[in-house]
Amino acid sequence: MNKALYIRRKLWNGFFLLLSVLAAGFGLIWLGFILGALFYNGFAALSSKLFLEMTPPPGEDGGLANAILGSVMMSALAVAAGTPLGLFAGTYLAEYGRYTRLAFFVRFVNDILLSAPSIVTGLFIYEIIVVKMGHFSAWAGAASLTVIVIPVVVRTTENMLLLVPNGLREAAAALGAPQSAIIRSVTWRAARAGIVTGVLLAIARISGETAPLLFTALNNQFWSTNANAPMSSLPVVIFQFAMSPYEDWHRLAWAGALLITATVLTLSIVARILQPKRSH
Amino acid sequence: MADIALAGQMTSIPDRAIAIRKGGARDTRFRVLTLSAAVLVLAIFAGVMASLIIGALPAMRNFGWGFIYTEAWNPVTEKFGALASIYGTLVTSLLAMLVAVPVGIGIAIFLTEICPRALRRPIGIAIELLAGIPSIIYGIWGLFIFAPWFQAHVQTALVDTFANVPYLQDIFGGPPYGIGIFTAALILSIMVLPFISAVTRDVFETVPPVLKEAAYGLGCTTWEVMWRVVLPFARSGVVGGAMLALGRALGETMAVTFVIGNAHHIKQSVFAPGTTISATIANEFTEAVGDLYLSSLIEMGLILFFITFIVLASAQLMLRALERRAGSAS
């Protein structure tokens, strides 16, 4: 009687479920393809020179030492400035503002900043710092990275503080602790692992960030710890070297790419281990 | 912490009064501190807007609205129009969404319905890793590995296949360079895939099991349950996730800059080199000479910020509404 319909429905079912398996395969294949190419080309170029020698002119031997230093320095500055600001703002959203209109606005704007194009961040810092100072500098680079760090930390801090059971806050309040003490010694402490996760994710996010550094920190061929001068960074060097026609620059670009990816993946895995289980 | 320890030792009334006053003052200071950090987030946003508008003023005065619909981009004669960049931005992102939305939903269906329980977490994490890989890595991979492979194995085949089909021969025509609009769009689609599949999976999990069980009880197949029960229920979440991904795709810089070819013209063929707003800024900003050139690039940044703001804001409104619904249901 309805056998034909029955078979047709089963076939469609099989067909679409097969498609969704293929979709998952599609995603995994690209991941494998990208990581495979990266490790293959990156490991071939890996040597101790990378960490000891400066970025070379074309045709000469060299490493990425100045770029690594620049990346580490600017990321450290950005995290040092962005973490407390993000932590306080996130604390306001979760502990004080919660349902106020201001908190709603801040949340909205923060989520926009979280996904806003990073190149626009670069333009912003260029306008307010580079133009005012009259030259490119590591300060400007770090500032543009700070603008990227803040929204990440705000979002995770708020989420993690909201996971802290209200009973803890109430217990502390019942003991007579003022609210600031409750936040600092009860809720922050309870959410510590989650907040650290947010900072790690922020570091992972900025360590590969290129666009805003292009016209804030620019680049520098030499070993430089002067934050008031242009500074080299791994992503910018990768961009410059990969777009060039020189074979040995390409090799260094691959090595740099491997370093960045290894850093980012390690940070995301550690962050995932630390992250508390979500409630739902 | 010190305050609590203090509170434990207190016995006499005056001590307590002092502690309360001290605590109160400390409270106010701390509250103001967190409040100003929260306001700083608003200030950054306002600062971005203001600085872009001020920076773009010379170009706005010079070109007016014509800036948006003029294709010419000539630094030598200082005639600037953003149309080719805007076109490239929109086309690459929309093409990317055409691939990423169905595949992202497919991945979410796979992870919630088909995948063996033990593999769900590892496969989910692997897909999310795609979002963690920095865009410059996509760029260098796209330039050295993907574009040559695509050129040799896919592009020539497509050009040959559609060589005599009307319309399609224009869209998939022209010399197969490897780099171009289509390559950029494909790489973008891989990059935004995890955003769609993660949000979609999360909303799929908010569908009340009783709805699915009722449909299964009526004899529906898995696909029918997904298509007629789960997807309609999760619609606004899926659209929100897709908008979030679109916002990312529109603003993506490095991955696109490597493979798009940086050519300021609009060609019918999707294989032709083009440019996007972000790629133009990344390529030309440090080399731009003259205030009008710089200002034009900044105005493009302003246009990009405006477009992504609208897309991201609507994504948020949809996802927020969903969160509220999920909150009231549980």
Side-chain angles (χ1 to χ4, degrees):
Chain A
M1 51 179 203
N2 257 342
K3 199 142 194 198
L5 175 68
Y6 191 66
I7 290 174
R8 203 172 66 222
R9 286 176 55 205
K10 284 204 90 161
L11 282 178
W12 275 121
N13 185 45
F15 173 69
F16 281 110
L17 294 188
L18 180 69
L19 278 189
S20 71
V21 174
L22 291 179
F26 180 84
L28 294 178
I29 282 174
W30 292 124
L31 182 69
F33 196 0
I34 293 169
L35 292 182
L38 196 61
F39 283 113
Y40 179 79
N41 290 295
F43 272 121
L46 220 52
S47 72
S48 57
K49 274 189 189 163
L50 280 185
F51 305 96
L52 299 174
E53 292 183 18
M54 305 304 123
T55 46
E60 279 177 40
D61 232 20
L64 296 167
N66 49 339
I68 295 171
L69 172 82
S71 274
V72 171
M73 256 184 82
M74 285 191 285
S75 300
L77 283 173
V79 170
T83 304
L85 292 172
L87 177 66
F88 286 134
T91 304
Y92 177 80
L93 295 180
E95 302 287 338
Y96 291 109
R98 237 186 241 198
Y99 302 109
T100 59
R101 187 161 295 177
L102 175 70
F104 174 83
F105 266 122
V106 173
R107 234 171 253 137
F108 182 80
V109 164
N110 188 67
D111 280 2
I112 300 268
L113 288 177
L114 198 60
S115 307
S118 57
I119 191 148
V120 170
T121 312
L123 290 178
F124 165 57
I125 297 297
Y126 175 86
E127 285 282 307
I128 65 164
I129 297 184
V130 178
V131 172
K132 294 279 173 320
M133 287 172 77
H135 59 88
F136 299 102
S137 68
W139 291 124
S144 68
L145 294 180
T146 308
V147 174
I148 295 166
V149 168
I150 292 175
V152 181
V153 178
V154 171
R155 174 117 295 297
T156 42
T157 303
E158 192 201 356
N159 285 349
M160 293 307 150
L161 289 178
L162 288 178
L163 288 182
V164 176
N166 267 332
L168 282 182
R169 297 189 181 92
E170 285 156 11
L175 287 174
Q179 200 174 358
S180 56
I182 298 176
I183 292 169
R184 274 176 298 170
S185 37
V186 179
T187 43
W188 275 1
R189 186 165 292 188
R192 191 164 47 191
I195 294 171
V196 172
T197 306
V199 177
L200 292 181
L201 288 178
I203 302 175
R205 177 85 195 273
I206 56 170
S207 49
E209 205 48 84
T210 320
L213 294 177
L214 286 175
F215 31 82
T216 50
L218 206 67
N219 202 344
N220 192 337
Q221 265 179 283
F222 307 104
W223 180 265
S224 161
T225 51
N226 179 4
N228 209 17
M231 190 177 270
S232 180
S233 65
L234 269 178
V236 173
V237 168
I238 294 175
F239 180 50
Q240 185 201 352
F241 280 17
M243 295 298 251
S244 77
Y246 313 110
E247 276 296 321
D248 27 351
W249 273 18
H250 292 174
R251 261 203 310 282
L252 282 174
W254 275 114
L258 180 65
L259 289 182
I260 289 185
T261 313
T263 313
V264 170
L265 292 187
T266 313
L267 284 169
S268 353
I269 290 167
V270 173
R272 198 172 283 278
I273 294 169
L274 283 178
Q275 195 168 35
K277 289 269 176 295
R278 276 185 299 178
S279 51
H280 66 263
Chain B
M1 196 174 34
D3 304 34
I4 295 178
L6 210 65
Q9 296 163 359
M10 274 183 304
T11 45
S12 61
I13 304 288
D15 276 358
R16 184 177 298 175
I18 292 167
I20 288 175
R21 211 172 326 124
K22 247 194 207 158
R26 223 173 263 168
D27 252 12
T28 318
R29 272 205 305 277
F30 192 72
R31 196 192 152 92
V32 169
L33 189 67
T34 62
L35 178 68
S36 22
V39 171
L40 179 78
V41 174
L42 295 180
I44 290 175
F45 183 78
V48 172
M49 288 281 255
S51 68
L52 288 180
I53 291 174
I54 292 170
L57 274 179
M60 284 181 185
R61 252 187 240 120
N62 223 294
F63 303 114
W65 290 106
F67 186 75
I68 296 173
Y69 53 80
T70 309
E71 192 185 332
W73 183 268
N74 192 336
V76 181
T77 57
E78 297 217 309
K79 289 272 171 291
F80 298 107
L83 188 65
S85 298
I86 297 175
Y87 170 84
T89 302
L90 296 180
V91 169
T92 49
S93 301
L94 293 179
L95 281 176
M97 299 312 287
L98 278 184
V99 178
V101 170
V103 175
I105 295 177
I107 292 176
I109 294 178
F110 174 80
L111 286 176
T112 50
E113 298 295 324
I114 304 172
C115 188
R117 222 156 250 289
L119 288 180
R120 270 180 203 182
R121 224 173 112 75
I123 293 183
I125 291 175
I127 298 286
E128 274 169 37
L129 278 188
L130 281 174
I133 297 176
S135 71
I136 184 134
I137 306 299
Y138 281 96
I140 186 172
W141 172 78
L143 180 68
F144 289 131
I145 310 285
F146 181 72
W149 174 83
F150 184 71
Q151 179 185 27
H153 295 101
V154 185
Q155 214 170 10
T156 30
L158 280 175
V159 172
D160 290 345
T161 315
F162 295 118
N164 296 311
V165 187
Y167 300 116
L168 289 181
Q169 67 183 3
D170 297 327
I171 295 176
F172 294 106
Y177 294 114
I179 56 173
I181 299 254
F182 197 73
T183 311
L186 277 181
I187 291 177
L188 279 180
S189 74
I190 302 169
M191 294 183 73
V192 299
L193 202 55
F195 291 97
I196 299 176
S197 64
V199 175
T200 307
R201 187 180 59 169
D202 285 352
V203 279
F204 277 5
E205 276 165 6
T206 65
V207 178
V210 64
L211 284 183
K212 283 157 72 178
E213 284 155 14
Y216 279 124
L218 287 172
C220 287
T221 60
T222 309
W223 169 249
E224 284 163 347
V225 173
M226 293 315 289
W227 184 245
R228 298 184 185 211
V229 178
V230 174
L231 264 180
F233 189 91
R235 194 172 41 211
S236 64
V238 175
V239 176
M243 298 286 266
L244 197 65
L246 179 60
R248 288 284 172 133
L250 287 166
E252 181 46 55
T253 309
M254 296 323 290
V256 173
T257 307
F258 273 93
V259 295
I260 197 148
N262 201 34
H264 282 277
H265 51 58
I266 299 174
K267 286 279 166 68
Q268 232 178 347
S269 170
V270 288
F271 290 155
T275 189
T276 67
I277 294 179
S278 46
T280 304
I281 300 175
N283 268 320
E284 301 182 20
F285 199 85
T286 40
E287 281 147 31
V289 277
D291 290 342
L292 198 56
Y293 195 175
L294 271 182
S295 174
S296 301
L297 288 170
I298 293 173
E299 186 174 354
M300 286 224 272
L302 180 65
I303 295 171
L304 176 67
F305 193 60
F306 183 71
I307 301 174
T308 48
F309 175 80
I310 291 176
V311 171
L312 292 173
S314 35
Q316 267 204 61
L317 293 178
M318 278 176 215
L319 294 175
R320 283 276 152 72
L322 201 79
E323 252 167 47
R324 269 201 295 281
R325 197 179 66 186
S328 63
S330 60

